[in-house]
Amino acid sequence: MDTEELEEARKQGDIDQELYELAWYEAHRITKRIQNNEFSLLNLVNEHKFLLEQKLK
């Protein structure tokens, strides 16, 4: 979800305050890991992209 969808879900009561705060916490944690180049899933995606590009040449 993007920030607008998350806020809308909270306002409509689809999620409670606790889940809303957890989602923000996780988003912040993942963003920091990406910025510090510590998000291994993103690194794996880049490796796979490189391999696929090599096969297409």
Side-chain angles (χ1 to χ4, degrees):
M1 296 185 117
D2 65 21
T3 57
E4 292 173 8
E5 291 173 320
L6 183 60
E7 184 65 31
E8 189 65 27
R10 187 184 60 79
K11 285 181 181 178
Q12 291 181 354
D14 295 331
I15 61 171
D16 62 13
Q17 186 65 29
E18 184 179 357
L19 188 54
Y20 174 82
E21 290 173 8
L22 177 61
W24 272 109
Y25 169 79
E26 285 299 313
H28 179 71
R29 188 176 71 86
I30 291 170
T31 299
K32 279 197 154 290
R33 291 188 71 195
I34 290 170
Q35 290 170 345
N36 293 333
N37 200 28
E38 298 170 345
F39 194 66
S40 59
L41 185 58
L42 191 56
N43 293 334
L44 185 59
V45 167
N46 286 330
E47 289 176 31
H48 283 233
K49 179 182 175 228
F50 175 77
L51 291 172
L52 289 172
E53 288 173 341
Q54 297 305 309
K55 286 186 178 188
L56 291 174
K57 288 183 179 183

